[in-house]
Amino acid sequence: MKSELIVDVQPEEITIALTEDNRLQEINREKRDQDNFSVGNIYYGRVKKVMPALNAVFVDVGHEKEAFLHYLDLGSEFLTLREYTTKAVSDRRKVPALTAVKRQPEVGKEGQIADILKVGDLLLTQVIKEPINTKGPRLTAELSIAGRNMVLIPFADKVMVSSKIKKESERSRLKQLIQSIKPQGFGVIVRTLAEDKRVMELDNELKLLVKRWEETIRTLQQPKQKGAVDGKHDLDVRLITAELGRTIGIIRDMFTPDFNSIQVNDEAVYNEIRQYIEMIAPQSVKIIRQYKGKQPIFDKYDITRQMKTGLGRTVGFKNGGYLVIDRTEALFAIDVNSGSKKLYDDQEENAFQYNMLAADEIVHQLRLRDIGGIIIIDFIDMDTKEHNDQLYEHMRELMEHDRAKHNVLPLSKFGLMQITRQRVRPAVEVNVMEVCPTCMGKGKIQPSLLFTDQLEEEIAHEVQEHGKNLILYVHPYIYAYACRGWIHSLKNQWRRRYGIRLMEDQSLGMLQTRFSQKS
């Protein structure tokens, strides 16, 4: 299978597309700002509200909405972590060893958070779910530092091996190996990718994760500043450690020796990825390439077209069937339709075959859009229990390859299937609708003959402001029109007159334009 990662870097966000055999499988977007509350970020927060009825507290971590921390997310070693944090903040000369703190009693699974935390308390927390809709981030106090082959957990002091590693001899080898090299006081979760890895590689990564933990504590130990930020958050509240960027995070979790290429259209991000690959898999550095073409990178690799056809409300699948995907506040609803084409004369067999085809596309859509929470699927009604059972087993087999935690329930008597899927980030939303090409959303239009005149005026203004070193991107239809006539085409006239290069961009609306500097 040919796996490629296409990274489109824009001023406001980075979009990462994963393709397998040239088919778009995943889309991830990362905002390029400081207020990016990513999963894995560690914050020093202050308790703002205690909610006994919810057995939870709301914590100020700098987000406009207070973050949520439930009692069960404190972790069994919370009291020891708090003791360690107090010691680290009070003595800034060095990073204390985990063993320098006396172990406190474990926090049981049954208890009241009001007995442990009160308003004004400061604590180290980590984001486990990004802000979604009107909700702030969700937190845990059970900190962890994630690596490619393992996850380091302070104060856990035990080794666990991924259940996806089935060979008992390999599980035993990894457990004994990590137990012999890990520092005292740390626990380790061995990830699936660690299977058959050599001692040196695992030891080097473990040392790197311990170093990241020490850097986290050093950041915590930096002197407090007095005052307030914008009158909202005191300066004790701050980001301590930022998780790796979404691009590096995806590579860390998904990269295998079978990866064929990583294409990046930005030099800084290219260098960042290259440095990371040199660290984890030096032999694979050659697959990273910096894209320097003039055509937008997503157009070059057919990502734009696949996003527009695959991320709308209605999505087609084989033999004329289609899905209708709707989102509500509480859940996602997916309706399966067979369309006008019939595969079989028998209605029962026809419904069964379309449902089986729909299941393939539904699993693809869950991964592509990163849909989480509750998903209700309305399959075409089938009468036989045998067909219902086969469809359920087929869906379970397809979902086994999904990295997100999930649960698939059998079809109900109404033909509905319920799936729950882990949601830690907002579902990917791409607006596939374009602004009306004639009125631009205003309801009134200018005379069509004036469009090229208005565009030329805009070109002249941009050239006067920024010089002739410009590229003008237009919709493919407008580009085709501007190329008519070759020698006397608008494209060549504008190039001679203004020194501007004309390029097509599939992501633009019919009469939209975009200027950028030539590289």
Side-chain angles (χ1 to χ4, degrees):
M1 181 169 58
K2 179 183 177 183
S3 298
E4 292 183 290
L5 202 66
I6 316 297
V7 184
D8 181 23
V9 181
Q10 297 298 330
E12 294 184 354
E13 66 180 10
I14 299 176
T15 306
I16 306 132
L18 172 69
T19 65
E20 293 176 357
D21 293 332
N22 297 320
R23 187 185 186 194
L24 182 62
Q25 296 291 343
E26 291 187 20
I27 282 286
N28 289 271
R29 284 182 166 173
E30 179 182 13
K31 294 289 183 184
R32 304 186 75 183
D33 55 39
Q34 298 300 314
D35 299 325
N36 189 15
F37 291 81
S38 299
V39 171
N41 283 6
I42 297 177
Y43 290 87
Y44 198 39
R46 188 185 294 277
V47 176
K48 301 295 287 186
K49 298 174 188 172
V50 179
M51 308 294 290
L54 299 175
N55 205 13
V57 294
F58 286 99
V59 182
D60 178 12
V61 292
H63 191 265
E64 58 182 352
K65 293 283 185 180
E66 291 163 355
F68 182 82
L69 174 64
H70 192 270
Y71 174 83
L72 294 177
D73 291 321
L74 290 177
S76 61
E77 301 296 337
F78 174 75
L79 297 178
T80 304
L81 172 64
R82 185 164 66 178
E83 188 76 14
Y84 178 84
T85 304
T86 303
K87 181 177 179 62
V89 171
S90 61
D91 184 1
R92 306 178 191 277
R93 291 172 298 176
K94 63 177 182 178
V95 175
L98 299 190
T99 52
V101 176
K102 182 181 178 182
R103 285 295 180 102
Q104 301 297 309
E106 290 189 358
V107 175
K109 293 186 177 180
E110 295 183 2
Q112 294 299 313
I113 201 166
D115 297 333
I116 299 175
L117 291 171
K118 63 181 185 298
V119 173
D121 284 353
L122 287 162
L123 70 163
L124 273 179
T125 59
Q126 189 168 29
V127 177
I128 55 173
K129 184 180 289 187
E130 292 181 7
I132 297 175
N133 297 335
T134 59
K135 299 177 182 177
R138 180 158 183 170
L139 306 175
T140 181
E142 198 166 14
L143 307 184
S144 62
I145 309 293
R148 176 168 164 78
N149 297 302
M150 64 190 79
V151 179
L152 185 72
I153 306 176
F155 302 109
D157 211 15
K158 56 185 176 181
V159 177
M160 295 169 285
V161 180
S162 168
S163 60
K164 292 183 179 179
I165 299 178
K166 302 297 184 183
K167 195 187 302 181
E168 195 58 42
S169 59
E170 178 62 10
R171 292 176 61 85
S172 179
R173 181 188 79 90
L174 289 169
K175 191 166 186 175
Q176 292 177 15
L177 169 61
I178 300 300
Q179 193 74 53
S180 66
I181 63 176
K182 77 174 184 65
Q184 192 174 358
F186 287 99
V188 174
I189 298 175
V190 182
R191 307 180 75 174
T192 311
L193 287 172
E195 189 170 12
D196 297 325
K197 289 291 192 302
R198 294 177 299 173
V199 177
M200 183 180 296
E201 186 174 349
L202 297 175
D203 186 45
N204 288 340
E205 180 169 324
L206 185 58
K207 289 176 180 176
L208 181 64
L209 296 180
V210 173
K211 183 180 177 182
R212 284 179 59 191
W213 165 255
E214 292 173 348
E215 289 171 351
T216 298
I217 301 305
R218 287 194 191 95
T219 304
L220 174 68
Q221 291 176 318
Q222 291 176 0
K224 301 176 185 176
Q225 303 178 52
K226 303 297 182 183
V229 181
D230 298 331
K232 294 181 180 179
H233 309 290
D234 61 61
L235 286 176
D236 284 334
V237 172
R238 62 193 189 274
L239 174 67
I240 301 298
T241 299
E243 172 64 305
L244 298 171
R246 186 75 58 84
T247 311
I248 300 299
I250 290 173
I251 293 172
R252 178 191 67 197
D253 294 339
M254 303 184 60
F255 182 82
T256 69
D258 299 328
F259 238 60
N260 297 92
S261 74
I262 301 173
Q263 300 281 350
V264 193
N265 66 345
D266 179 84
E267 185 176 2
V269 177
Y270 164 79
N271 290 331
E272 181 184 357
I273 294 173
R274 186 179 179 87
Q275 289 174 7
Y276 184 74
I277 296 296
E278 283 178 343
M279 182 175 64
I280 65 168
Q283 71 280 5
S284 298
V285 169
K286 60 182 180 295
I287 72 170
I288 312 166
R289 302 181 183 91
Q290 184 180 353
Y291 176 78
K292 296 183 178 181
K294 299 302 181 184
Q295 187 180 10
I297 189 169
F298 273 10
D299 289 3
K300 171 70 175 178
Y301 292 99
D302 198 36
I303 304 299
T304 303
R305 184 191 64 80
Q306 292 191 59
M307 287 171 61
K308 294 202 173 210
T309 58
L311 289 170
R313 179 173 179 261
T314 302
V315 180
F317 58 88
K318 292 180 181 178
N319 297 317
Y322 63 94
L323 309 174
V324 179
I325 304 174
D326 287 308
R327 176 182 181 177
T328 70
E329 186 68 22
L331 51 82
F332 281 84
I334 302 177
D335 184 41
V336 178
N337 297 275
S338 62
S340 57
K341 187 176 180 180
K342 292 188 68 174
L343 297 177
Y344 299 90
D345 292 332
D346 180 66
Q347 175 61 31
E348 174 71 12
E349 186 64 26
N350 194 66
F352 173 67
Q353 293 299 332
Y354 268 109
N355 283 339
M356 295 290 276
L357 292 172
D360 294 334
E361 183 59 35
I362 288 169
V363 172
H364 175 245
Q365 287 293 318
L366 296 184
R367 183 181 175 190
L368 176 62
R369 302 177 189 230
D370 199 14
I371 293 175
I374 300 173
I375 302 112
I376 304 295
I377 306 168
D378 183 10
F379 283 105
I380 303 170
D381 290 340
M382 298 181 294
D383 295 329
T384 67
K385 184 177 184 303
E386 181 185 358
H387 282 161
N388 284 332
D389 291 344
Q390 288 181 23
L391 177 59
Y392 169 60
E393 289 301 324
H394 182 57
M395 181 63 81
R396 286 188 59 187
E397 289 172 7
L398 293 172
M399 290 293 291
E400 283 180 359
H401 304 289
D402 195 335
R403 298 193 317 274
K405 294 179 182 177
H406 60 270
N407 187 28
V408 182
L409 297 183
L411 275 78
S412 71
K413 64 180 180 180
F414 302 112
L416 302 177
M417 178 180 287
Q418 179 178 316
I419 297 176
T420 58
R421 187 173 184 270
Q422 183 184 30
R423 177 172 65 176
V424 295
R425 299 184 178 96
V428 174
E429 291 186 356
V430 176
N431 185 9
V432 299
M433 307 303 291
E434 295 181 357
V435 176
C436 172
T438 53
C439 73
M440 302 300 288
K442 298 176 182 176
K444 295 181 180 180
I445 65 170
Q446 298 288 340
S448 301
L449 291 173
L450 298 182
F451 172 68
T452 52
D453 295 339
Q454 293 170 343
L455 183 55
E456 186 165 355
E457 290 177 7
E458 190 175 350
I459 292 170
H461 174 74
E462 290 292 329
V463 169
Q464 185 177 359
E465 288 285 321
H466 304 289
K468 294 187 175 184
N469 192 34
L470 292 174
I471 301 174
L472 171 61
Y473 291 95
V474 296
H475 188 278
Y477 287 175
I478 300 301
Y479 179 82
Y481 176 78
C483 290
R484 290 174 55 197
W486 184 236
I487 295 176
H488 300 294
S489 67
L490 289 173
K491 176 184 176 181
N492 285 325
Q493 289 181 41
W494 291 341
R495 180 176 55 80
R496 290 192 297 267
R497 194 173 302 163
Y498 303 106
I500 198 165
R501 183 194 297 270
L502 194 67
M503 296 290 293
E504 54 184 321
D505 185 344
Q506 298 173 14
S507 67
L508 296 174
M510 182 75 75
L511 301 184
Q512 287 180 313
T513 58
R514 177 169 65 86
F515 288 90
S516 73
Q517 294 284 341
K518 294 179 183 176
S519 57

